[in-house]
Amino acid sequence: SKAGDRLKGLSVKLTRCSSISGKVVDDTDNRVPEAVVQAVSRRWLHGQLIYEQSPSGFTNDAGEYRISDLPPGHYYVCADTSTNVFVEKQGGPEMSSLNTCYPDARTLDGATQLDLQTGQDVPGIDMKLPIGPVFHIRGKIVGHATAEEQPLSLKAHLHGFGDLFELDEEDATGGKFDFSGVAPGTYDVALAANQDQIIAKATVDMKKADVNNVVLTIPTMLTVKGRAHSVDDDETF
């Protein structure tokens, strides 16, 4: 076609999306309302494994969920809940519901991948959220920059999964931090400037006890001075 042409009789075929549905219960088979459920796909981009999450779905009062408008592809389904941490007995460990990937894995490792075809509805993807001990990651931020000089954000997530299994964001302005409700695993604690520029990071191996005294050091920002010369006319700037 060229400028001024009128094209007629064009047709556009839309791909029918798919859906996944199921139920989320706790370890006593009681329904879990308001659990967050996501479909997760992964792909390679520039030599890195990238995780893409669907818009979050939430279970209803009966613990049921449905994630719709999914294009055909391979997906993992993971559920999490914001249930408060509790203590079963005085002096005992803190306990909480643990996130689960279908059918019963803590992360995508060991989870079952679902293959969705065009327009397919996949029901019965049920998950049980176990109860387990959770701990704290505590530490401090040291360095010369202040929150006024450089807005900072502090995040932590399971090592190797990007933002997929992320803990609640902590305040980075007070110099100290305390991530609570942390299940056993290996985590990356990262301090970022301007939301996404990582300036300090520590990897923490959480086993069966709190991890304290994690230190994130803000690097000293250097100022580079000099003169630039034009190659053509030797002009100095």
Side-chain angles (χ1 to χ4, degrees):
S1 62
K2 61 181 180 297
D5 285 350
R6 292 188 177 184
L7 302 179
K8 298 181 179 180
L10 298 178
S11 62
V12 178
K13 293 184 179 181
L14 301 178
T15 300
R16 289 181 58 202
C17 291
S18 306
S19 68
I20 300 171
S21 59
K23 181 181 290 187
V24 178
V25 298
D26 62 20
D27 61 349
T28 58
D29 292 325
N30 290 319
R31 62 182 182 272
V32 179
E34 298 184 1
V36 179
V37 185
Q38 291 181 322
V40 180
S41 60
R42 59 183 179 181
R43 62 188 178 90
W44 289 95
L45 179 65
H46 304 308
Q48 288 189 322
L49 196 56
I50 304 299
Y51 296 91
E52 298 178 336
Q53 306 173 55
S54 69
S56 298
F58 294 88
T59 56
N60 59 20
D61 290 342
E64 300 166 336
Y65 73 91
R66 179 182 176 84
I67 305 174
S68 56
D69 297 330
L70 295 172
H74 304 289
Y75 294 92
Y76 297 93
V77 181
C78 300
D80 196 4
T81 177
S82 58
T83 302
N84 292 331
V85 174
F86 64 93
V87 177
E88 290 183 320
K89 61 181 180 179
Q90 186 174 4
E94 293 181 343
M95 309 288 287
S96 179
S97 297
L98 306 179
N99 59 271
T100 298
C101 295
Y102 177 79
D104 55 6
R106 276 275 290 116
T107 69
L108 301 189
D109 297 333
T112 297
Q113 189 179 63
L114 304 179
D115 183 14
L116 267 65
Q117 305 300 320
T118 301
Q120 183 181 15
D121 296 322
V122 180
I125 306 303
D126 302 334
M127 287 168 284
K128 178 178 290 189
L129 300 181
I131 300 292
V134 291
F135 306 95
H136 292 252
I137 298 176
R138 301 186 181 97
K140 62 182 179 179
I141 302 169
V142 299
H144 298 291
T146 66
E148 289 75 18
E149 296 170 346
Q150 185 174 219
L152 303 176
S153 61
L154 182 62
K155 298 181 179 181
H157 54 77
L158 274 173
H159 178 72
F161 292 96
D163 296 336
L164 180 56
F165 298 102
E166 193 171 63
L167 304 179
D168 291 338
E169 187 170 342
E170 279 286 299
D171 183 5
T173 60
K176 294 183 179 180
F177 58 86
D178 183 352
F179 289 98
S180 61
V182 184
T186 302
Y187 293 83
D188 289 332
V189 181
L191 186 66
N194 303 317
Q195 297 299 319
D196 56 3
Q197 180 187 357
I198 303 299
I199 60 174
K201 185 173 73 171
T203 299
V204 175
D205 189 14
M206 171 71 69
K207 294 182 178 178
K208 296 181 179 180
D210 295 342
V211 174
N212 301 307
N213 302 319
V214 176
V215 177
L216 296 176
T217 303
I218 300 174
T220 301
M221 302 301 174
L222 300 178
T223 300
V224 178
K225 297 181 179 181
R227 291 188 296 178
H229 297 270
S230 170
V231 175
D232 296 329
D233 54 15
D234 200 29
E235 183 178 355
T236 301
F237 298 93

